[in-house]
Amino acid sequence: MTKKFEQRLRMMYSRDGMTAEEGFADLLAHVEEHTEDLIAAFHAELASPEPNLAMRSWLLELISESRSDAALPTLVEQLYSLDHSLSFWARCGLEKLDTKQARIEVWKARFSGVLKDDFA
């Protein structure tokens, strides 16, 4: 992790809404550079004994914007999450990734009934 990434991530955890939004926006603008770091931060947040549900969702949103093949396993895993915000961002990420494997995973989720329709 670079210092810049760590600084932006700390900003996202700020109690000040404007600072948190600024950290998110900065990471969004550089999401391609930080995909691996975002995935690591997301998994660390999942493993946290004190979950921050909003941060999980925000991190997965950023991961979904990366359009990176490295994000595929995380997105597929979260597609089946019981947390609707996580499954939503996972689906968005897979649709944006738009690779053959990503399309197969979305199709499998639809076929299994996990995805009810295109507007859920």
Side-chain angles (χ1 to χ4, degrees):
M1 280 186 209
T2 66
K3 273 192 168 188
K4 199 74 159 161
F5 175 80
E6 290 174 359
Q7 177 186 14
R8 290 169 176 156
L9 188 61
R10 272 194 309 277
M11 289 173 69
M12 285 178 59
Y13 277 99
S14 172
R15 291 180 187 251
D16 176 59
M18 293 296 288
T19 301
E21 289 283 346
E22 186 179 337
F24 177 87
D26 285 350
L27 279 173
L28 182 60
H30 302 280
V31 72
E32 296 84 14
E33 301 166 35
H34 299 297
T35 303
E36 296 289 337
D37 293 331
L38 287 164
I39 292 168
F42 176 76
H43 285 287
E45 187 59 49
L46 283 179
S48 173
E50 296 178 24
N52 184 328
L53 303 179
M55 185 58 72
R56 287 178 183 180
S57 184
W58 247 8
L59 289 168
L60 196 60
E61 181 180 355
L62 288 167
I63 292 166
S64 77
E65 289 293 330
S66 74
R67 293 176 172 85
S68 169
D69 288 332
L72 183 70
T74 299
L75 295 172
V76 170
E77 176 183 294
Q78 295 308 310
L79 185 61
Y80 295 90
S81 174
L82 296 177
D83 181 329
H84 178 72
S85 68
L86 297 182
S87 61
F88 172 81
W89 287 117
R91 177 182 177 181
C92 289
L94 289 167
E95 289 173 348
K96 288 176 185 181
L97 185 55
D98 197 30
T99 62
K100 181 178 181 180
Q101 189 60 45
R103 290 188 299 272
I104 288 170
E105 296 299 337
V106 171
W107 180 86
K108 287 188 328 190
R110 278 193 185 116
F111 185 76
S112 70
V114 171
L115 299 179
K116 303 293 186 217
D117 57 46
D118 288 342
F119 307 105

